[in-house]
Amino acid sequence: MLDQDILEQVKGIFTSLKTTYTLRAVLGASRLEAADMQAFLTDFTSTSDHLKLETVEGDADSLEFSILKDGADTGITFRGIPNGHEFTSLLLAVLNADGQGKNLPDEAIVRRIAAIAGQAKLQTYVSLTCTNCPDVVQALNVMALLNPAISHEMIDGALFQEEVSAKGIQGVPAVFLNGEPFHSGRGTLGELLDKLEEKMGTSETGNEQPIERTYDVVVLGGGPAGSAAAIYSARKGLKVAVVAERIGGQVMDTTGIENLISVSQTTGTKLADDLRNHIGSYPVDIFENRKIEHADLRDAVKRVCVRGGETFLAPAVIVATGAGWRRLNVDGEAQYIGHGVHFCPHCDGPFYKGRPVAVVGGGNSGMEAAIDLAGICSKVTVLEFADTLRADTVLLEKAAQMPNIEIFKSSQTTQVLGDGTKVSGIRVKDRTTDKERDIALDGIFVQIGLAANSAPFADELDLTPQKEIIIDAHCRTSISGVYAAGDVSSVPYKQIVIAMGEGAKAALSAFEDRLHGVI
């Protein structure tokens, strides 16, 4: 079942296993895939003497295996054969259980996971071709390992179509908590942990001891601007921390990048990895999966507080928290997110093969989405609010050549329509005539730009009407010792290359102020 080259690689990965792991499989007699799973697990467990396979009887429709550590349940189950992108999830599940995985969180995140209250049964429906599903699966597997009250199942939706239909799932990853919808689409460990804390609550003893960390410079955000700021600050010999939800930031949501000067072509994932590696070549402390709750910036020593009882202190703070996807904020949108309303055409577009969809937004991201979806969907309707299209000419020319793309300008989305379970259409008003019409379709992809992530600083820093942090030509804000860079700031043109330059500029300004005794 597994290629010999892959088996040899896995053997090398598992040479350092310290504990015995049993893969307990339940293979139903009626499942045609049972023999394939048996072969897959036999091959997989053959890669180490610390791996065992145990087959037990179960329901005729069962097709799953769970991971036991020295005979004790880890809380991790795979329903389906974790091939494709999910093969890494299986490898990491074993390595993390052994304490050797590279994506194990630091002690502050471990403490938060352990403090989750109540029993949490998590299920994630995936597609083996989905590139975002493994991040969610791996994050929830980590939670299961660190809190015995949490369990997690990865479910291959293609093998359990009746469940997918019954739950009205139209996009992956789709996460359910104790049988109820919990999360849809891409997600990091930090985002999922935030949502789980809000839903389940935390124990009183979990976060009783606050953690304070002191630095010369604290950089908030791990995208291009934050990464550049951290690198430039570290090169000055300063003690630097990066506090971020994820390294890469919004770059992670970008598929192709062809305008980063001197790099003719790359991907968002590759660039994020490159940013992490570059930061890692300096003595910079990275604190990922952090959500900023509030900041006290007016004193000489700034205090930034994140969820879970951590506080970061420094005389210089560089805000590079970037921006997030804007929503339509119309009736029906929130109800059908993950059930027909999506923000990532690359993740969820394949669910709409041969079906009609709409893309809301006529900028670069909207036209890129339309072009991608046109190769999959029967028809793509592009709806642009303005009376002109803002996308680059090359994209407009390419879209014009595709017969199944139809573009409407001066079109305002007023409502997402659905049958209570999934999207059935979209209501649009013609801004030139004020007439409304309904367009029947199956999916809506929202691509209307970004909103600055400035909320934690709104009470302290001066903001533009668009909620961007106002900066001068040196990236200084309205408070001494506080700097802003990239998409969260008022700098014009939200581009990766500009954000990198602004991050460097903010770091140099902070160092200059330090030399002159300003901070």
Side-chain angles (χ1 to χ4, degrees):
M1 182 70 181
L2 287 173
D3 182 85
Q4 189 60 41
D5 289 340
I6 293 177
L7 287 173
E8 292 301 319
Q9 292 177 39
V10 175
K11 286 179 182 179
I13 292 171
F14 285 157
T15 53
S16 59
L17 287 181
K18 303 183 291 289
T19 310
T20 299
Y21 296 92
T22 301
L23 275 57
R24 179 176 291 168
V26 185
L27 307 177
S30 68
R31 298 297 310 216
L32 298 176
E33 305 85 0
D36 287 340
M37 178 173 275
Q38 178 81 44
F40 173 90
L41 295 177
T42 299
D43 286 349
F44 186 81
T45 53
S46 72
T47 60
S48 172
D49 291 338
H50 289 274
L51 296 175
K52 310 296 180 184
L53 175 59
E54 175 185 324
T55 303
V56 298
E57 293 185 3
D59 294 338
D61 196 47
S62 297
L63 187 72
E64 65 183 57
F65 66 93
S66 54
I67 301 176
L68 283 65
K69 179 179 180 179
D70 281 340
D73 192 356
T74 62
I76 296 174
T77 300
F78 290 85
R79 290 175 61 197
I81 304 171
N83 274 320
H85 293 295
E86 292 302 340
F87 188 64
T88 301
S89 297
L90 174 57
L91 292 175
L92 281 173
V94 176
L95 290 173
N96 286 339
D98 214 52
Q100 300 185 54
K102 293 182 179 180
N103 66 335
L104 286 170
D106 58 70
E107 82 280 5
I109 301 299
V110 169
R111 189 173 73 171
R112 286 176 59 192
I113 293 171
I116 296 294
Q119 296 286 326
K121 180 182 179 180
L122 293 157
Q123 298 171 299
T124 303
Y125 290 82
V126 307
S127 165
L128 298 183
T129 61
C130 169
T131 57
N132 290 311
C133 292
D135 291 337
V136 172
V137 170
Q138 291 161 25
L140 297 179
N141 281 348
V142 165
M143 292 190 198
L145 288 171
L146 297 174
N147 187 328
I150 298 174
S151 65
H152 178 240
E153 290 181 327
M154 181 225 78
I155 304 169
D156 181 358
L159 299 181
F160 296 90
Q161 283 292 327
E162 288 187 7
E163 290 182 35
V164 169
S165 298
K167 293 179 182 292
I169 296 171
Q170 288 190 296
V172 290
V175 184
F176 288 75
L177 170 62
N178 296 332
E180 298 296 326
F182 174 69
H183 175 85
S184 178
R186 63 167 57 87
T188 64
L189 173 62
E191 292 167 341
L192 294 164
L193 179 54
D194 289 343
K195 294 180 73 169
L196 198 57
E197 287 174 330
E198 292 168 4
K199 190 75 173 179
M200 301 295 294
T202 57
S203 63
E204 294 181 1
T205 58
N207 297 322
E208 58 185 11
Q209 295 297 326
I211 300 173
E212 288 193 348
R213 308 183 191 275
T214 302
Y215 290 87
D216 296 322
V217 179
V218 170
V219 178
L220 306 179
S227 299
I231 290 167
Y232 267 73
S233 296
R235 286 175 61 85
K236 296 298 184 181
L238 302 178
K239 185 180 180 184
V240 182
V242 173
V243 181
E245 292 188 11
R246 57 181 179 174
I247 298 300
Q250 197 69 27
V251 159
M252 292 288 288
D253 300 330
T254 304
T255 302
I257 300 170
E258 299 179 351
N259 57 355
L260 182 57
I261 308 307
S262 85
V263 180
S264 58
Q265 188 175 32
T266 188
T267 65
T269 302
K270 176 65 165 59
L271 180 56
D273 288 341
D274 290 342
L275 292 175
R276 182 186 297 278
N277 291 335
H278 199 170
I279 295 171
S281 65
Y282 294 93
V284 175
D285 291 339
I286 297 176
F287 299 91
E288 277 190 280
N289 302 307
R290 264 53 175 197
K291 185 177 182 65
I292 300 169
E293 292 194 319
H294 66 273
D296 300 318
L297 303 174
R298 298 187 182 279
D299 294 337
V301 176
K302 323 299 181 186
R303 300 175 63 89
V304 179
C305 303
V306 303
R307 181 172 292 184
E310 277 181 291
T311 301
F312 294 85
L313 297 87
V317 170
I318 299 174
V319 182
T321 45
W325 292 112
R326 292 184 186 276
R327 294 192 178 184
L328 297 170
N329 293 319
V330 299
D331 289 345
E333 178 186 31
Q335 177 183 357
Y336 292 108
I337 288 177
H339 299 274
V341 175
H342 307 280
F343 299 88
C344 179
H346 311 293
C347 311
D348 301 318
F351 282 91
Y352 296 90
K353 183 176 181 179
R355 298 156 67 186
V357 300
V359 173
V360 182
N364 282 345
S365 60
M367 296 313 299
E368 287 174 355
I371 291 166
D372 286 343
L373 292 167
I376 303 171
C377 304
S378 60
K379 182 177 181 180
V380 181
T381 302
V382 178
L383 303 170
E384 167 56 41
F385 181 86
D387 57 4
T388 57
L389 297 171
R390 297 167 287 110
D392 292 342
T393 302
V394 64
L395 294 175
L396 295 177
E397 290 176 348
K398 189 168 184 178
Q401 296 171 2
M402 308 191 83
N404 60 337
I405 294 180
E406 188 173 16
I407 301 173
F408 293 95
K409 295 176 284 188
S410 298
S411 298
Q412 178 182 354
T413 300
T414 58
Q415 187 176 349
V416 172
L417 308 174
D419 61 6
T421 302
K422 62 183 184 298
V423 164
S424 61
I426 190 168
R427 182 162 295 164
V428 181
K429 182 173 74 173
D430 186 325
R431 295 178 57 244
T432 61
T433 65
D434 283 338
K435 291 184 178 179
E436 287 191 325
R437 65 189 178 106
D438 294 346
I439 302 174
L441 44 76
D442 294 331
I444 300 168
F445 292 83
V446 181
Q447 302 283 295
I448 56 174
L450 304 169
N453 295 324
S454 60
F457 321 104
D459 294 335
E460 305 231 340
L461 298 175
D462 291 345
L463 306 180
T464 68
Q466 292 75 37
K467 307 301 181 183
E468 298 169 337
I469 298 173
I470 297 174
I471 58 172
D472 64 12
H474 299 270
C475 294
R476 296 185 177 98
T477 70
S478 54
I479 297 178
S480 177
V482 182
Y483 313 83
D487 289 2
V488 75
S489 78
S490 58
V491 66
Y493 311 117
K494 311 305 184 185
Q495 297 290 309
I496 293 171
V497 68
I498 292 174
M500 288 179 171
E502 290 292 296
K505 190 196 299 181
L508 293 173
S509 295
F511 184 70
E512 182 178 81
D513 289 348
R514 182 185 180 93
L515 286 180
H516 294 163
V518 176
I519 59 174

